Amino acid sequence: MTQQAAQTHTFDLAKIKLIVGLGNPGPRYSKTRHNAGFMLMDTLHELYGSGAWDTRGTAHSSTISVTLKDGSFHSITLIKPMMGMNVSGVQIKAFVKNGITSDNVLICYDELEKPFGKNMLRFAGSARGHNGVRSAIEQIGNNFWQLRLGIDRPAEKKDVADYVLSNFTPSEMQSMDTSQEAALKLLGL
């Protein structure tokens, strides 16, 4: 861990310029556990954005700027990398420039080690086996904020790949609003 990551960090949404939701593009994956990050981006867009996602950018990502009402009003760019989970970092790196540093980035993704609906916000850390986060760390280092969205884990480790690519259950989908509200509360929204 770098010296910067070892320091105590307090989350301040006003310092975040990019919120990235990790997921896989296409209708086949839209309701899968691995797309928890994309789903949260869609919720943020629905609550705070207007207009459609821009998919014309050269970074192969869907982007939109939203104005968050978190006690102040400030603009943040939401990003959904569209080349696939395992290469998300390449697209994130394209946005980390022009005065934006990795500590201005919040990456939201599915977390097997947390029960469904339990979320965790932290600064820096390892990928813990998550290929999308690993890709981000390879491209921009690990000094970014992470919002880990709990999806639970299967009973057998050998089932993880199929599990994360399976759809949320009807019961989980009914509880999705509550889970996302808890995630937004961690961000101060």
Side-chain angles (χ1 to χ4, degrees):
M1 188 182 304
T2 66
Q3 185 176 4
Q4 182 181 5
Q7 297 172 357
T8 303
H9 284 81
T10 302
F11 183 75
D12 182 356
L13 187 59
K15 294 180 181 176
I16 299 298
K17 297 179 182 178
L18 302 173
I19 301 179
V20 181
L22 298 184
N24 286 306
R28 177 182 182 277
Y29 300 106
S30 66
K31 300 295 182 202
T32 64
R33 290 173 172 83
H34 224 15
N35 272 32
F38 273 17
M39 295 169 82
L40 187 61
M41 293 307 94
D42 290 336
T43 297
L44 284 168
H45 171 238
E46 187 177 300
L47 291 172
Y48 299 107
S50 61
W53 287 93
D54 182 358
T55 57
R56 298 168 293 157
T58 58
H60 304 288
S61 299
S62 290
T63 62
I64 192 163
S65 288
V66 297
T67 302
L68 299 179
K69 300 163 186 78
D70 59 333
S72 63
F73 293 88
H74 68 282
S75 181
I76 290 180
T77 300
L78 305 180
I79 302 168
K80 294 193 292 187
M82 301 303 272
M83 288 177 59
M85 178 72 76
N86 296 348
V87 293
S88 298
V90 174
Q91 294 131 317
I92 296 167
K93 184 178 181 177
F95 291 94
V96 178
K97 56 183 178 182
N98 300 329
I100 296 174
T101 60
S102 61
D103 60 339
N104 300 130
V105 176
L106 168 65
I107 299 179
C108 308
Y109 59 93
D110 56 295
E111 172 60 68
L112 286 166
E113 302 305 325
K114 296 281 181 200
F116 175 80
K118 300 296 180 190
N119 310 302
M120 183 173 123
L121 181 65
R122 68 176 287 175
F123 184 76
S126 71
R128 298 172 54 118
H130 194 289
N131 291 333
V133 178
R134 180 178 294 118
S135 178
I137 290 170
E138 288 170 357
Q139 296 295 319
I140 66 169
N142 75 339
N143 289 328
F144 55 83
W145 286 94
Q146 301 175 18
L147 179 56
R148 297 174 174 184
L149 306 166
I151 62 166
D152 215 347
R153 73 165 27 259
E156 299 290 327
K157 186 175 182 175
K158 66 179 178 56
D159 297 330
V160 166
D162 290 334
Y163 179 78
V164 297
L165 293 176
S166 67
N167 287 339
F168 284 106
T169 66
S171 173
E172 289 169 333
M173 287 304 293
Q174 286 182 335
S175 301
M176 188 62 70
D177 285 347
T178 303
S179 174
Q180 290 193 344
E181 285 173 14
L184 295 176
K185 188 174 181 179
L186 282 174
L187 303 181
L189 295 171

